[in-house]
Amino acid sequence: MDLDAITKYSALHAKPNGLVLQYGTAGFRTKAEHLDHVMFRMGLLAVLRSKQTKSTIGVMVTASHNPEEDNGVKLVDPLGEMLAPSWEEHATCLANAEEQDMPRVLMDISVKAAVNLQQDAFVVIGRDTRPSSEKLSQSVIDGVTVLEGQFHDYGLLTTPQLHYMVYCRNTSGQYGKATIEGYCQKLSKAFTELTKQAFCSGDEYRSLKVDCANGIGALKLREMEHYISQELSVQLLNDGTKGKLNHLCGADFVKSHQKPPQGMEMKPNERCCSFDGDADRIVYYYLDVDGHFHLIDGDKIATLISSFLKELLLEIGESLNIGVVQTAYANGSSTRYLEEVMKVPVYCTKTGVKHLHHKAQEFDIGVYFEANGHGTVLFSKAAEIRIKQLAKELEDKKRKAAKMLENVIDLFNQAAGDAISDMLVIEAILTLKGLTVQQWDALYMDLPNRQLKVKVADRQVISTTDAERQVVTPPGLQEAINDLVKKYKLSRAFVRPSGTEDIVRVYAEADSQENADSLAHAVSLAVFQLAGGVGEPPQPGF
């Protein structure tokens, strides 16, 4: 390790005084102008991680659903999964090290993680369409090259596509080809095979409007388009030709505002969906004949997919265990439907994909979708082998069901969530089951809910337990929430600190929208009063 060269290069990517950042589920994320030193240092860290694992490591430059002026970075581990928790700590430590301490911190990480510095290293890099992303990607490359790591810069990719590239490279191409063409071929082949099994091919199921959040999803869905055009016609809106990334559009906007994105003209009962800025989230929605907006979020996506998978397992008579993993944000109606109607076990974890992902790995088939539309299906290696074996051995109808399961395995990207592959799975299931978007929505009725944010001086005054459903500190806040919840029917509420900024997130649901709004406001006031709110107290009305 040439510490003199690192010191010299690091001075070109100097850390601003007083800036402290934390590596979380989304990696590092803040205003783009503050990230140059972080990108350089994550290039260094990716090389160390690659040497330690003797594998290709990914670095993705994106701030996902954040505003265009933000940016961020996250590392992708060898099997396309999120960075190991111990290395999240190394990332935080390295990002926050003062300039003069950089070489020492790097050496400390190498010793603690038992990195063989003589080992070769290979890093792949992707970026989203933000104006700042290209320059910040170059800072990552500077970090990789100063430690003499090899790299491949894929340029513009969705976050899930970078996860896919990493996984392909580390499985010697067994998972697929580590190219955009390989990605498109793998997904489209499985999608085509699956939709071929449909009894009807009604045109009403075959066109879809997609809001691409003015982000990378538009470019990559356009590349996928000609592979799937026989089965599905997609109309891309907010495709980046005009309008700012994630501004008044995208999955996060639609979910939090519960209304269509800007630029989306909708006819009654027309199927529409939105990606987020880096295309790892998806939500569906439609207008009914009375013009009312209906959101179909991650809960209903998980319900559709897990119900379909359970039916296929029953068809082939295979007792693989399937589980759905949710967070506290999951609508209470979805949990009841899955447990009581579908008889599928449901588990709750802390918010954050890494918690859901980890729990989902405990099942033969683990389904998880956050309410915001970020999710996937994980098949254990044993389940995958068993299903592929059955697809060859079984006869007639059972073989067909096993083959469909095999197609579903191939459709789900190894990443923690892929809006493109999720969209294809959903479209295939709706076609196979002959379901309209209204029939899907009618599986169960969501309880009205509201999410709010409260600015506080220090988010760390809030601590929680029971998968973030109960507040431990500050004293008296949980009791106040309990008293407020008792005033409304079918109600519940919880609060949790943001992982990235000094705000507290409030969630409430109740038997009517008016009551959900009222409860959310009352809980927000309690947070403001008991957890050090700053600025104006929360006002009613949304």
mmCIF file of all heavy atoms in Angstrom, residues 3 31 36 60 63 80 139 214 224 255 308 314 323 347 353 377 395 491 522 525 541:
data_model
loop_
_atom_site.group_PDB
_atom_site.id
_atom_site.type_symbol
_atom_site.label_atom_id
_atom_site.label_comp_id
_atom_site.label_asym_id
_atom_site.label_seq_id
_atom_site.Cartn_x
_atom_site.Cartn_y
_atom_site.Cartn_z
ATOM 1 N N LEU A 3 1.327 4.545 0.834
ATOM 2 C CA LEU A 3 0.661 5.548 1.673
ATOM 3 C C LEU A 3 0.951 6.975 1.207
ATOM 4 O O LEU A 3 0.101 7.858 1.349
ATOM 5 C CB LEU A 3 1.072 5.372 3.133
ATOM 6 C CG LEU A 3 0.639 4.041 3.781
ATOM 7 C CD1 LEU A 3 1.097 3.975 5.222
ATOM 8 C CD2 LEU A 3 -0.878 3.848 3.713
ATOM 9 N N LYS A 31 -26.009 16.173 0.148
ATOM 10 C CA LYS A 31 -25.858 17.077 -0.993
ATOM 11 C C LYS A 31 -24.620 16.670 -1.802
ATOM 12 O O LYS A 31 -23.561 16.388 -1.235
ATOM 13 C CB LYS A 31 -25.710 18.526 -0.509
ATOM 14 C CG LYS A 31 -26.978 19.073 0.137
ATOM 15 C CD LYS A 31 -27.979 19.480 -0.925
ATOM 16 C CE LYS A 31 -29.254 20.035 -0.322
ATOM 17 N NZ LYS A 31 -30.206 19.002 0.078
ATOM 18 N N ASP A 36 -17.355 14.431 -2.635
ATOM 19 C CA ASP A 36 -16.162 14.066 -3.407
ATOM 20 C C ASP A 36 -15.198 13.191 -2.596
ATOM 21 O O ASP A 36 -14.740 12.143 -3.063
ATOM 22 C CB ASP A 36 -15.454 15.338 -3.894
ATOM 23 C CG ASP A 36 -14.212 15.022 -4.705
ATOM 24 O OD1 ASP A 36 -14.316 14.219 -5.649
ATOM 25 O OD2 ASP A 36 -13.137 15.561 -4.397
ATOM 26 N N MET A 60 -21.998 1.762 -6.395
ATOM 27 C CA MET A 60 -23.104 2.434 -7.103
ATOM 28 C C MET A 60 -23.206 3.882 -6.642
ATOM 29 O O MET A 60 -23.320 4.153 -5.440
ATOM 30 C CB MET A 60 -24.424 1.712 -6.832
ATOM 31 C CG MET A 60 -25.606 2.286 -7.603
ATOM 32 S SD MET A 60 -25.461 1.977 -9.388
ATOM 33 C CE MET A 60 -26.584 3.224 -10.040
ATOM 34 N N ALA A 63 -28.487 8.543 -5.386
ATOM 35 C CA ALA A 63 -29.231 8.905 -4.174
ATOM 36 C C ALA A 63 -30.691 8.492 -4.330
ATOM 37 O O ALA A 63 -31.585 9.068 -3.704
ATOM 38 C CB ALA A 63 -29.111 10.400 -3.878
ATOM 39 N N GLY A 80 -24.154 -9.900 -4.785
ATOM 40 C CA GLY A 80 -25.162 -8.901 -5.141
ATOM 41 C C GLY A 80 -25.920 -8.373 -3.947
ATOM 42 O O GLY A 80 -26.894 -7.645 -4.093
ATOM 43 N N SER A 139 -14.270 10.141 -9.086
ATOM 44 C CA SER A 139 -13.605 10.164 -7.771
ATOM 45 C C SER A 139 -13.484 8.746 -7.207
ATOM 46 O O SER A 139 -12.480 8.408 -6.576
ATOM 47 C CB SER A 139 -14.389 11.051 -6.793
ATOM 48 O OG SER A 139 -14.493 12.360 -7.306
ATOM 49 N N ASN A 214 -38.125 10.577 -14.165
ATOM 50 C CA ASN A 214 -37.073 11.329 -14.866
ATOM 51 C C ASN A 214 -35.683 10.786 -14.534
ATOM 52 O O ASN A 214 -34.711 11.546 -14.386
ATOM 53 C CB ASN A 214 -37.153 12.836 -14.546
ATOM 54 C CG ASN A 214 -38.367 13.478 -15.179
ATOM 55 O OD1 ASN A 214 -38.673 13.226 -16.342
ATOM 56 N ND2 ASN A 214 -39.085 14.280 -14.413
ATOM 57 N N MET A 224 -34.908 -2.485 -22.615
ATOM 58 C CA MET A 224 -35.617 -3.757 -22.405
ATOM 59 C C MET A 224 -36.813 -3.890 -23.355
ATOM 60 O O MET A 224 -37.222 -5.000 -23.700
ATOM 61 C CB MET A 224 -36.095 -3.826 -20.942
ATOM 62 C CG MET A 224 -36.971 -4.998 -20.586
ATOM 63 S SD MET A 224 -36.114 -6.579 -20.560
ATOM 64 C CE MET A 224 -35.346 -6.520 -18.953
ATOM 65 N N LYS A 255 -46.365 7.398 -3.512
ATOM 66 C CA LYS A 255 -46.680 6.714 -2.252
ATOM 67 C C LYS A 255 -46.965 7.724 -1.137
ATOM 68 O O LYS A 255 -47.956 7.609 -0.428
ATOM 69 C CB LYS A 255 -45.512 5.797 -1.868
ATOM 70 C CG LYS A 255 -45.563 5.233 -0.454
ATOM 71 C CD LYS A 255 -46.727 4.289 -0.240
ATOM 72 C CE LYS A 255 -46.736 3.751 1.190
ATOM 73 N NZ LYS A 255 -48.021 3.182 1.576
ATOM 74 N N PHE A 308 -49.743 -16.100 -5.420
ATOM 75 C CA PHE A 308 -49.458 -16.821 -6.665
ATOM 76 C C PHE A 308 -48.471 -17.975 -6.409
ATOM 77 O O PHE A 308 -48.680 -19.105 -6.856
ATOM 78 C CB PHE A 308 -48.893 -15.835 -7.688
ATOM 79 C CG PHE A 308 -48.492 -16.454 -9.001
ATOM 80 C CD1 PHE A 308 -49.441 -16.960 -9.872
ATOM 81 C CD2 PHE A 308 -47.152 -16.519 -9.371
ATOM 82 C CE1 PHE A 308 -49.076 -17.521 -11.092
ATOM 83 C CE2 PHE A 308 -46.772 -17.073 -10.588
ATOM 84 C CZ PHE A 308 -47.737 -17.583 -11.448
ATOM 85 N N LEU A 314 -48.957 -25.480 -4.048
ATOM 86 C CA LEU A 314 -50.068 -26.419 -3.794
ATOM 87 C C LEU A 314 -50.318 -27.289 -5.017
ATOM 88 O O LEU A 314 -50.584 -28.485 -4.911
ATOM 89 C CB LEU A 314 -51.344 -25.647 -3.432
ATOM 90 C CG LEU A 314 -51.386 -25.023 -2.027
ATOM 91 C CD1 LEU A 314 -52.588 -24.102 -1.883
ATOM 92 C CD2 LEU A 314 -51.433 -26.119 -0.953
ATOM 93 N N GLY A 323 -42.610 -17.556 3.428
ATOM 94 C CA GLY A 323 -42.886 -16.564 4.466
ATOM 95 C C GLY A 323 -42.863 -15.172 3.882
ATOM 96 O O GLY A 323 -42.100 -14.889 2.957
ATOM 97 N N TYR A 347 -43.979 -12.099 9.140
ATOM 98 C CA TYR A 347 -43.023 -11.714 10.179
ATOM 99 C C TYR A 347 -42.716 -10.230 10.037
ATOM 100 O O TYR A 347 -42.718 -9.692 8.936
ATOM 101 C CB TYR A 347 -41.728 -12.537 10.042
ATOM 102 C CG TYR A 347 -41.993 -14.018 10.136
ATOM 103 C CD1 TYR A 347 -42.402 -14.742 9.012
ATOM 104 C CD2 TYR A 347 -41.886 -14.687 11.352
ATOM 105 C CE1 TYR A 347 -42.682 -16.092 9.088
ATOM 106 C CE2 TYR A 347 -42.171 -16.045 11.438
ATOM 107 C CZ TYR A 347 -42.568 -16.742 10.311
ATOM 108 O OH TYR A 347 -42.857 -18.089 10.396
ATOM 109 N N VAL A 353 -34.139 -2.388 4.210
ATOM 110 C CA VAL A 353 -34.106 -3.581 3.371
ATOM 111 C C VAL A 353 -33.196 -4.654 3.944
ATOM 112 O O VAL A 353 -33.481 -5.843 3.849
ATOM 113 C CB VAL A 353 -33.662 -3.203 1.940
ATOM 114 C CG1 VAL A 353 -33.480 -4.426 1.085
ATOM 115 C CG2 VAL A 353 -34.700 -2.310 1.300
ATOM 116 N N VAL A 377 -38.294 -11.361 -4.104
ATOM 117 C CA VAL A 377 -38.528 -12.726 -3.598
ATOM 118 C C VAL A 377 -37.183 -13.442 -3.594
ATOM 119 O O VAL A 377 -36.448 -13.395 -4.582
ATOM 120 C CB VAL A 377 -39.531 -13.499 -4.481
ATOM 121 C CG1 VAL A 377 -39.700 -14.920 -3.965
ATOM 122 C CG2 VAL A 377 -40.877 -12.781 -4.511
ATOM 123 N N GLU A 395 -45.254 -34.343 -14.508
ATOM 124 C CA GLU A 395 -45.989 -34.470 -15.765
ATOM 125 C C GLU A 395 -47.156 -33.495 -15.825
ATOM 126 O O GLU A 395 -47.707 -33.093 -14.802
ATOM 127 C CB GLU A 395 -46.518 -35.907 -15.916
ATOM 128 C CG GLU A 395 -45.390 -36.919 -16.074
ATOM 129 C CD GLU A 395 -45.912 -38.336 -16.199
ATOM 130 O OE1 GLU A 395 -47.156 -38.504 -16.246
ATOM 131 O OE2 GLU A 395 -45.082 -39.261 -16.241
ATOM 132 N N SER A 491 -57.222 1.374 14.977
ATOM 133 C CA SER A 491 -56.094 2.288 14.843
ATOM 134 C C SER A 491 -54.806 1.724 15.432
ATOM 135 O O SER A 491 -54.814 0.864 16.308
ATOM 136 C CB SER A 491 -56.419 3.620 15.524
ATOM 137 O OG SER A 491 -56.576 3.409 16.912
ATOM 138 N N ALA A 522 -51.968 14.309 16.007
ATOM 139 C CA ALA A 522 -51.867 14.279 17.465
ATOM 140 C C ALA A 522 -50.555 13.625 17.919
ATOM 141 O O ALA A 522 -49.898 14.097 18.852
ATOM 142 C CB ALA A 522 -53.070 13.530 18.050
ATOM 143 N N LEU A 525 -47.651 16.008 17.350
ATOM 144 C CA LEU A 525 -47.554 17.009 18.425
ATOM 145 C C LEU A 525 -46.876 16.427 19.664
ATOM 146 O O LEU A 525 -46.053 17.093 20.308
ATOM 147 C CB LEU A 525 -48.951 17.515 18.796
ATOM 148 C CG LEU A 525 -49.539 18.630 17.922
ATOM 149 C CD1 LEU A 525 -50.960 18.952 18.374
ATOM 150 C CD2 LEU A 525 -48.674 19.898 18.001
ATOM 151 N N GLY A 541 -53.839 19.400 8.782
ATOM 152 C CA GLY A 541 -54.050 19.623 7.344
ATOM 153 C C GLY A 541 -52.857 19.133 6.556
ATOM 154 O O GLY A 541 -51.707 19.252 6.996
#
